[in-house]
Amino acid sequence: MSVQANPQSAKNIETHGLFIDGREVASETSETLAVHNPATGDIIARIAHGTARDVDRAMKSARRAFEGKDWASMPVRTRARLVNKLADAFEANLDELYQLETINNGRPVNETRAQLRRVPDFFRYNAGLALARRDAVIPVEGEYLNYTLRRPVGVVANCTPFNHPLMILSKSLAPVFASGCTTVVKPSEYTPLTTLALARIFSEAGLPDGVFNIVTGLGPTTGKALCEHPDYNKLVLTGGTEAGQIAGAHAGRIFAHQTLELGGKTPVLTFPDFDVDRAVNYAAFGAFIGAGQTCVCGSRQIVHKDVYDEFVDKLAKKAKSIRIGDPTETTTQLGPVISEKQRQRVLNYVKFGLDEGARLVAGGGVPKHMSNSGGYFVEPTVFADVSAKMRIFQEEVFGPFTSITPFSSEEEAIALANDSPFGLAAAIRTKDVSRAHRVASALQCGIVWINDHHRLDPASPWGGVKLSGVGREFGPESFDDHFEVKSVMVNMTDQPFDWYEQTTQQRLN
């Protein structure tokens, strides 16, 4: 995305500023970025291109709010009621939000509606954690009382991606608000509109000024300024591994907490005892939902040789049957990818697969009936006979793209699954309970689905290992990482003490 003049009529296109201190404000410059509808290529809005000084303004607002009386001294039950009120406000505005998100990121409206319906529960669950939280009393040796105090960590810097703008944002916002932290968010320049809308909705619902700030702009400029700012206490970033490495290095310099949810290359292991038709339906869902632009996209189908040919044939037919079209239509099953750049990335990987000898069995091009739409459509693509050495097996494509690889034994399937620099999610298809648990334990990843895919819950920790990131979202793991823990040790005796006079007295240090 580039800074540019708007080629369409300015009177038909809204220009959005930044959101700082509870209201929309102008950037310090007049530079704007065009936001496109990926289904048509049309410009649908323009956003401010935030500068380092804009980021600093937002950070100062978040710091003032964090230290201010209204937010810092808010009783926990009052805060929990407020977070529940935010969930209600989100729910009351679902129609506006899912329609705007569909136009902004191109995900079919049925998918968007189903996903966003889950989001209010993120806030309600974290409100419950806030109410249920207890500090520990720790049994220690000697006549001492040892207890802990937890204090909110402070200001959270958050960089969110284009693929699930509201859902991924809310995974962070819910524990931020419930813990008493504050935040500055840099949404993807491709999909900022629902983030800005949510800030307005939450402000109108009573969220204090400065608790939730937004600075829009490009990753290499605005995002870089946010990650390099010296005054935040926790970094949350969902995005590519390279972006996470750069941002995480900056956060490490100020010893900020980090939650980084990065790339993935999810293996899906299908054993011969599982129904092939059901396995194929899960494979299509896991690979093509959200146009494959998910960090847990089922991009490596690892299938037992006894059912391999049948699986390949049926998944190819399933991919060819998926209805591609206007994401605002309820009959559409697959929308566009986010940009022309992303479409070219997918098409480049089609070429890599063909060049390395994989067999293309479905897709691989632009759907003919959408070629003149102006949108960034690409067919759901399936490659068979893929080996572990191929780029399409090892590298994240981030599009409606999956590969199929045969295996002969459980040990080989596990080895293939773990032959990856990533370790976010994996899936297993089997009716054998012992095998399911055995394989789940052996897989090198943070999430495993057995006979399912993409399922999440606000109570269940979400995150990966290896190049897929650090830390966890959801669950008490995420909520707890928004606090610093202080240990208080109380001597319960009145015995006199002088180490230098009583040198024979032993003491535990």
Side-chain angles (χ1 to χ4, degrees), residues 328-375:
T328 64
E329 298 290 337
T330 57
T331 55
T332 295
Q333 296 176 324
L334 184 73
V337 294
I338 193 64
S339 65
E340 180 59 30
K341 178 181 177 181
Q342 194 61 30
R343 175 164 66 176
Q344 286 304 315
R345 178 179 173 85
V346 176
L347 296 177
N348 286 341
Y349 274 93
V350 172
K351 184 177 185 301
F352 297 153
L354 293 172
D355 289 347
E356 291 183 321
R359 178 164 53 103
L360 180 65
V361 296
V366 176
K368 291 180 180 179
H369 70 289
M370 301 303 294
S371 60
N372 295 321
S373 65

Side-chain angles (χ1 to χ4, degrees), residues 1 15 33 43 127 145-146 162-163 213 259-260 297-298 313 332 350 383-384 406 428 452:
M1 183 176 294
T15 297
L33 305 173
I43 297 173
L145 170 65
N146 183 204
F162 66 78
N163 54 340
N213 304 276
T259 299
L260 308 177
C297 170
D313 179 62
T332 295
V350 172
F383 272 97
I428 303 164
D452 209 335

Side-chain angles (χ1 to χ4, degrees), residues 34 42 60 96 118 121 141 192 209 226 229 238 251 294 318 342 356 382 412 454 465 484:
D42 293 339
K60 286 185 167 85
E96 173 195 349
R118 298 288 316 281
D121 284 347
E141 191 166 355
D209 295 348
L226 178 61
H229 198 279
T238 302
T294 70
K318 185 75 175 180
Q342 194 61 30
E356 291 183 321
V382 182
E412 183 185 8
H454 277 297
V465 300
E484 298 286 10

Side-chain angles (χ1 to χ4, degrees), residues 165-186:
L166 276 180
M167 188 270 283
I168 290 177
L169 170 69
S170 296
K171 283 195 296 183
S172 175
L173 289 185
V176 163
F177 298 156
S179 66
C181 292
T182 60
T183 190
V184 177
V185 176
K186 205 295 284 185

Side-chain angles (χ1 to χ4, degrees), residues 10 66 85 103 141 189 216 218 327 333 356 416 422 492:
F66 177 70
K85 186 178 179 182
I103 293 169
E141 191 166 355
E189 58 268 29
T216 55
L218 298 173
Q333 296 176 324
E356 291 183 321
L416 284 166
F422 301 107
M492 300 295 288

Side-chain angles (χ1 to χ4, degrees), residues 186-198:
K186 205 295 284 185
S188 168
E189 58 268 29
Y190 291 109
T191 55
L193 301 185
T194 48
T195 300
L196 291 164
L198 190 65

Side-chain angles (χ1 to χ4, degrees), residues 66 72 133 135 147-154 179-181 257 479-486 488:
F66 177 70
R133 179 177 70 82
D135 289 317
Y147 64 92
T148 60
L149 297 173
R150 286 195 287 177
R151 296 291 181 262
V153 69
S179 66
C181 292
H257 294 231
F479 180 76
D480 290 345
D481 197 46
H482 287 76
F483 293 90
E484 298 286 10
V485 179
K486 181 186 298 183
V488 180

Side-chain angles (χ1 to χ4, degrees), residues 32-92:
T32 61
L33 305 173
V35 179
H36 296 261
N37 179 342
T40 64
D42 293 339
I43 297 173
I44 55 175
R46 298 177 73 184
I47 57 170
H49 188 191
T51 67
R53 284 188 289 273
D54 291 325
V55 168
D56 188 58
R57 277 197 292 159
M59 279 289 184
K60 286 185 167 85
S61 172
R63 181 62 63 187
R64 282 194 304 271
F66 177 70
E67 296 175 353
K69 181 179 178 181
D70 289 347
W71 187 244
S73 301
M74 185 178 288
V76 65
R77 293 184 183 276
T78 303
R79 179 173 286 114
R81 284 194 295 271
L82 174 59
V83 174
N84 278 314
K85 186 178 179 182
L86 300 180
D88 294 341
F90 191 112
E91 212 159 50

